[in-house]
Every structure is written in structure tokens, then in C-alpha cells.
Amino acid sequence: MCEECPKVEPTLLGRRQMLGFASFLVGGAALGLSSGRALADECAPFLEEAQSAATSDQAIQMLVDGNARFFAGASLHCDLLGEVKATAEKQTPFACVLACIDSRSAPELVFDQQVGDIFVARVAGNVPTAEILGSFEYATKVAGAKAIVVLGHNHCGAVKGAVDKADVGANLTTLLNEIEPAVVATPLEGERSSKNHHFVEAVAETNVRLAVAAMTEKSAVLKELVDAGAVKVVGALYDIETGKVTFLS
Ligand SMILES: [Zn+2]
């Protein structure tokens, strides 16, 4: 998987500047281009031309850069209503994010993205249900997004519930069963309990990795796009204590 790993160092390049460098990522290493970030560029609505020019690596890099801004307390403050008007006729987002419903892990916020930038699907435990796979098939194949990020997080209540085999109600049990494969696949050291913090966080990471694999194992459409190099799927973990996203290798 590591050959497919995204470059995770923030570049702090403006999105227009970045898209001007078609071969920005060379051999997986970022060129040592200087910052020169222009806020006006970052706030520019992400329209069809920009989407057509963007590569999967650049799409992921824009999320890396967005989290770097968020983590640094330097999130953008764009003209959102202006972006509403600019994207009203057509949306051309550059990426999709599957995240947990956790109130602290909102993708648009933690990746510092604006109106029309990313498709977001959220469900407790960020599990790739058939409905979410179908949504991302649309987002990529039809609407042109170049990357899919599965974003898990620490202290996840859904993961804890799956670890504890919580029995709250039929629907929630059905959902937690979707996380059970990650529980089973994670080496258990100590007790199987949500009090075992190390185990809970290890399951959260396994759960993300299984969701990444499921995108191409359970969707022929996504597999075709990934095999063709048109889309990349990557996993990441959000730290609710610090605001930092770490991309998995
Ligand atoms: Zn969660």
C-alpha cells in the first residue's frame, strides 16, 4: 500500500498555485517550493476547470494543507455566500470524505474546506455501508472527485460500543456489527473492553484500514477508477484532543 501513500507534509501552497504544478509530487516527495499562500486563492470556489486539472495526489494534498491550517489555528474565513452563488449551477468537488458522526470530527472543519469543495458521508464508526459506497461511486465516477479519505478518530463511541458489544437497540446493534470485523482483526492485549484505551484506538485504526479496502473490494466502480489511476483511497485518523489528522501509510 505504501507506494500509494499520499505525501502528508503540508505544503501551504495556494490551491491555484498547486494546480499550476502538474507534476508537483515527484516520486512521492514534495518539491521544496516556498509557501507564498494567498488567501484569495484558497477561498476561490473550486470549479470545473480546477477539478479537471487536479490529480488524486493534489486532492489529498489540499486536505493535508487544510488540516495544517486548522491545526495551526489559521483556518480560512471565506465568503461562503459568494461560494454558494458560484457553485449553485454545478458542483465539482475534489474529494470525498467518509467520517464518523462525532460532533468533534466534522470534515469540512478539520480539513478547512469550503462550500463545494468535498463530498462528505457520515455514519457512526465511519463504516462503508452500501449506501455510502453508492454515494462515492456517484461522487467520483459521475461528479469527478479525485480522492476518497476514510477518516476515523480516537475516543470513538461507536468503536467503544463495538468493543463492548453494546446492546442498545436493534438498529444500533446492526451498525456496531459493521465494526465487529475490525475488533476481531485487531490483536487483543489485555481485556476486550472500552476501558482498554490502547485496544480501542487500535481497533479504530483497523476499522479505517478495512473501510479503505472495502472501497475497492465491494465496489467494482471504485476499483475500476482506482486501477485506472483516476482515484486514490486513503485512510486517516483524526485526534480530537489536538485537531491533527494523521494519514495512514
Ligand atoms: Zn466516532
Side-chain angles (χ1 to χ4, degrees), residues 100 123-126 153 155-163 172 175-176 179:
C100 182
V123 61
N126 40 272
H153 69 97
H155 306 293
C156 180
V159 170
K160 289 178 181 175
V163 166
L172 184 52
L175 174 60
L176 296 184
I179 305 174

Side-chain angles (χ1 to χ4, degrees), residues 48 107 116 121 158 182 199 202 223:
E48 194 164 6
F199 184 58
K223 185 175 189 315

Side-chain angles (χ1 to χ4, degrees), residues 75-94:
S75 293
L76 303 173
H77 296 284
C78 303
D79 174 10
L80 294 179
L81 278 178
E83 294 183 343
V84 167
K85 291 185 174 69
T87 57
E89 198 170 312
K90 185 176 185 180
Q91 63 166 339
T92 50
F94 60 84

Side-chain angles (χ1 to χ4, degrees), residues 9-33:
E9 295 301 321
T11 64
L12 296 181
L13 279 171
R15 81 175 23 161
R16 285 185 187 170
Q17 290 169 292
M18 167 177 283
L19 295 176
F21 293 99
S23 57
F24 176 69
L25 293 175
V26 178
L31 299 176
L33 299 173

